[in-house]
Amino acid sequence: MAEKFYYGGQAVLEGVMMRGQKNLVTAVRNPGGEITTEVRPLHSLYTSKWRKMPIIRGAVVLIESMILGIQSLIYSANIALKEEEEELSGGLLWLMLLVSLGSSVALFFLAPLFITNLMSSFLESAVLFNLIEGIVRLVIFVIYIKLVTLTPDIKRVFGYHGAEHATINAFEAGVPLELERAAEIKTYSTAHLRCGTSFLLAVMVIAILVFSLIGKPAFAVMFASRIILVPVIAALSYEFTRFSAGHCHNPVVRFLIKPGLALQSLTTRQPDIKQIEVAITALKKTVEMDNPDYIPQKACPECEAAI
């Protein structure tokens, strides 16, 4: 029996990107009010056996999300700003990816370590040290999200993020992906069990557990671990997110995913009808290219209640 495929996506400038089994579809509303779409075939790495192997698939999905996200953002910016589309070279794309990864590691892993180390003399216990570091990491993460919401353009993107979630939730509940159903789809939740925001929160929490296993060695060792172990933490967080989405009927799992769903209130906004229409266009095109006759499995009542 074939493994069930879960559709997901990302908000971009004035649009939504949806990832299918074989293709990536980005739908963007141009300044003239029309919706334009780009279909990009997925690289073999993103559909290979590596993406199905537990733990390893987490690292693959992380790289995939960043690369495809950058490509879709560039396309959406070109359309939204009426600029001529320019294809990024492989070298420049990898440079942008490395800069993005480096900035994230520095802000969310190295900065908390340096801040906590300033209090090291008061934190002799390894468990307490890693717990305080984890709290500092969470505070930086929430402050970062709060700050980016102050930008008007980001608020628009968060509206499309809400549209992406509402459309996927409606689709998984069996609602036809038709523009005429936009008002109905708009009523669905802007939170989603497989959201990247929940994944990032899982990263923050699981990092505390992983680093606690290391204890409190020399600072150089701790510094290196905050870099080397990021792929491991991301992989474990992906497995948790994937598992929780498939077992949300379990009361314990529902309890564990509540903070992530609550945090999504900072990264999503209630979308308008036009934003919903863009999300519908992207997801409908993605599903049709995979299998025109595909009928989604209806979400269980517990999952619907969780979001």
Side-chain angles (χ1 to χ4, degrees), residues 22-34:
K22 300 177 181 178
N23 297 280
L24 184 84
V25 177
T26 304
V28 180
R29 192 178 290 279
N30 64 29
E34 298 177 342

Side-chain angles (χ1 to χ4, degrees), residues 128-181:
L128 183 59
F129 182 93
N130 285 288
L131 179 60
I132 296 300
E133 181 191 354
I135 293 174
V136 172
R137 186 179 298 111
L138 283 169
V139 170
I140 291 176
F141 179 57
V142 174
I143 291 176
Y144 172 80
I145 293 177
K146 280 284 191 179
L147 289 176
V148 298
T149 59
L150 299 178
T151 307
D153 287 342
I154 297 298
K155 289 183 179 179
R156 287 286 299 169
V157 172
F158 284 173
Y160 279 103
H161 190 195
E164 174 219 335
H165 285 180
T167 303
I168 292 177
N169 283 328
F171 170 68
E172 294 181 342
V175 180
L177 295 172
E178 303 296 341
L179 295 181
E180 294 76 13
R181 308 293 287 267

Side-chain angles (χ1 to χ4, degrees), residues 60-72:
V60 174
V61 170
L62 177 63
I63 296 174
E64 168 193 318
S65 299
M66 298 192 73
I67 292 178
L68 298 182
I70 290 173
Q71 291 175 333
S72 295

Side-chain angles (χ1 to χ4, degrees), residues 8-303:
Q10 173 184 313
V12 294
L13 295 176
E14 293 302 323
V16 172
M17 173 265 278
M18 291 290 185
R19 193 243 192 236
Q21 298 182 60
K22 300 177 181 178
N23 297 280
L24 184 84
V25 177
T26 304
V28 180
R29 192 178 290 279
N30 64 29
E34 298 177 342
I35 300 176
T36 64
T37 59
E38 178 198 50
V39 177
R40 186 185 295 269
L42 292 173
H43 189 278
S44 58
L45 173 64
Y46 307 144
T47 57
S48 67
K49 63 179 181 180
W50 298 109
R51 203 181 188 279
K52 300 179 181 180
M53 296 179 65
I55 302 301
I56 293 178
R57 62 189 173 192
V60 174
V61 170
L62 177 63
I63 296 174
E64 168 193 318
S65 299
M66 298 192 73
I67 292 178
L68 298 182
I70 290 173
Q71 291 175 333
S72 295
L73 278 170
I74 292 171
Y75 170 76
S76 67
N78 289 331
I79 297 299
L81 301 177
K82 274 190 171 180
E83 295 180 356
E84 184 178 352
E85 184 179 355
E86 295 182 2
E87 194 72 24
L88 279 180
S89 66
L92 184 56
L93 186 61
W94 278 104
L95 177 60
M96 293 178 66
L97 177 63
L98 290 174
V99 170
S100 179
L101 275 173
S103 301
S104 299
V105 171
L107 180 61
F108 300 120
F109 288 92
L110 298 183
L113 175 62
F114 277 102
I115 293 173
T116 309
N117 194 57
L118 296 175
M119 303 178 281
S120 183
S121 58
F122 304 101
L123 304 172
E124 296 183 2
S125 168
V127 174
L128 183 59
F129 182 93
N130 285 288
L131 179 60
I132 296 300
E133 181 191 354
I135 293 174
V136 172
R137 186 179 298 111
L138 283 169
V139 170
I140 291 176
F141 179 57
V142 174
I143 291 176
Y144 172 80
I145 293 177
K146 280 284 191 179
L147 289 176
V148 298
T149 59
L150 299 178
T151 307
D153 287 342
I154 297 298
K155 289 183 179 179
R156 287 286 299 169
V157 172
F158 284 173
Y160 279 103
H161 190 195
E164 174 219 335
H165 285 180
T167 303
I168 292 177
N169 283 328
F171 170 68
E172 294 181 342
V175 180
L177 295 172
E178 303 296 341
L179 295 181
E180 294 76 13
R181 308 293 287 267
E184 178 184 357
I185 292 174
K186 185 178 182 294
T187 64
Y188 279 77
S189 175
T190 57
H192 196 276
L193 298 169
R194 302 188 302 275
C195 176
T197 303
S198 294
F199 164 77
L200 290 175
L201 180 60
V203 167
M204 303 297 152
V205 175
I206 290 176
I208 299 175
L209 302 177
V210 172
F211 294 144
S212 293
L213 295 177
I214 299 175
K216 188 185 175 186
F219 181 79
V221 176
M222 290 193 292
F223 182 90
S225 69
R226 271 51 175 181
I227 299 174
I228 296 172
L229 293 178
V230 168
V232 176
I233 294 169
L236 293 174
S237 301
Y238 175 80
E239 294 301 327
F240 170 77
T241 304
R242 183 184 177 91
F243 176 85
S244 62
H247 296 79
C248 54
H249 57 278
N250 185 298
V252 175
V253 172
R254 289 208 305 276
F255 174 77
L256 293 175
I257 63 178
K258 284 293 184 182
L261 293 173
L263 190 63
Q264 289 179 40
S265 64
L266 298 179
T267 62
T268 61
R269 292 287 183 273
Q270 188 61 42
D272 56 38
I273 291 295
K274 290 185 178 297
Q275 291 174 319
I276 290 289
E277 289 175 348
V278 173
I280 292 173
T281 300
L283 184 55
K284 181 178 181 180
K285 182 69 173 179
T286 306
V287 174
E288 286 179 345
M289 295 193 71
D290 282 345
N291 180 6
D293 300 320
Y294 178 80
I295 299 176
Q297 178 179 329
K298 291 183 180 294
C300 65
E302 291 86 352
C303 295

